[in-house]
Amino acid sequence: MVVTVSSKAQQRKVVIACFGGFGRELAGWLRKYEPYTDFLGFIDDERPKECLGSIIDHRPIAGVSYLVANGLGSNRLKIAALLSGRGAKMGSLISPEAILGSDLNDDSQIILLGRASVSVNVSIGHQTLIQELAVIGHDVQLGNGCSVSSFSFIAGGCKLGREVIVNPHATLLPRLNIGDGATLGAGSVVIADVKSGVTVFGNPAKIL
Ligand SMILES: CC(C)(COP(=O)(O)OP(=O)(O)OC[C@H]1O[C@@H](n2cnc3c(N)ncnc32)[C@H](O)[C@@H]1OP(=O)(O)O)[C@@H](O)C(=O)NCCC(=O)NCCS
């Protein structure tokens, strides 16, 4: 069953952590995907005066859904842990144009942009980012804090650990295991398991 998310279904209050380029981009997508949502502003440690304040001193606001817009999965996880440790409700941003065969909702704590496609029986860890036009096959597992770029294809049954970076146009063959913190270079064709912390690229992908 293909499930689409209605933008009208998501009327809420949102604060975005991180006021960098990605944070501002995310605010733009939020306005487009959820025109009825009340976007309160950003929190950021480097530019608190241009924002609602810093992350480090932020006291979470009740009833607000917090999104973390940092390009690095490890940073997203740290910021989410800090905010949720103070009682913040961490949320998701799920594009209404995404093609979803798996149940994802605000509690999933993911960011899924544009026409990304997620097949059936996929599990996605908290603070994972999936960019426009990425394709995730059936039975894939993505750990916490992964970053999956546009035009990448993760074939059925692959298991990615936490904080894995899948750069644009990377292709993963079926049922591969990719270790925590591995990086798959742009345009890679990954045909074998990748160990934790290793960077691979090329076709067939080899260790950098
Ligand atoms: C794989 C990657 C992560 C490695 O980055 P890095 O460690 O900084 O490596 P370098 O750029 O120093 O490159 C080292 C060598 O590998 C080559 N190389 C790097 N990435 C490559 C790739 N994806 N495909 C083919 N060759 C690559 C470089 O040409 C260089 O070769 P040389 O030593 O013969 O000159 C990076 O190149 C990559 O693919 N980044 C994607 C960035 C991107 O698209 N980001 C957008 C995210 S939304």
Side-chain angles (χ1 to χ4, degrees), residues 131 149 167-168 183 185-187 199-202 208:
Q131 301 264 19
S149 286
N167 279 305
T183 298
T199 296
V200 299
F201 68 87
L208 181 68

Side-chain angles (χ1 to χ4, degrees), residues 62-168:
V64 166
S65 192
Y66 286 81
L67 304 176
V68 186
N70 192 288
L72 270 184
S74 52
N75 287 345
R76 290 196 297 277
L77 287 168
K78 276 184 212 148
I79 293 166
L82 186 139
L83 291 172
S84 61
R86 291 180 185 157
K89 183 193 175 300
M90 307 310 297
S92 295
L93 182 64
I94 299 175
S95 164
E97 296 175 336
I99 300 161
L100 302 180
S102 296
D103 289 335
L104 303 171
N105 55 39
D106 202 37
D107 295 331
S108 307
Q109 293 186 32
I110 59 168
I111 295 171
L112 203 149
L113 299 178
R115 291 179 199 161
S117 164
V118 175
S119 186
V120 298
N121 199 28
V122 171
S123 74
I124 304 181
H126 289 171
Q127 301 305 326
T128 279
L129 163 66
I130 300 175
Q131 301 264 19
E132 156 91 319
L133 294 174
V135 177
I136 316 286
H138 65 89
D139 300 297
V140 165
Q141 294 176 20
L142 300 177
N144 292 341
C146 289
S147 304
V148 181
S149 286
S150 295
F151 303 107
S152 52
F153 172 70
I154 303 181
C158 284
K159 290 185 184 155
L160 281 65
R162 49 184 290 141
E163 298 168 42
V164 173
I165 299 174
V166 182
N167 279 305

Side-chain angles (χ1 to χ4, degrees), residues 18-43:
C18 299
F19 187 47
F22 180 40
R24 295 192 297 279
E25 180 191 6
L26 206 67
W29 288 126
L30 176 68
R31 284 187 199 102
K32 181 171 161 52
Y33 298 161
E34 301 179 21
Y36 302 94
T37 280
D38 186 7
F39 174 51
L40 305 183
F42 298 92
I43 49 174

Side-chain angles (χ1 to χ4, degrees), residues 168-173 176 184-192 199-208:
H169 285 281
T171 297
L172 281 77
L173 268 50
L176 296 178
L184 313 179
S188 310
V189 178
V190 184
I191 63 166
T199 296
V200 299
F201 68 87
N203 177 9
K206 300 218 164 95
I207 296 176
L208 181 68

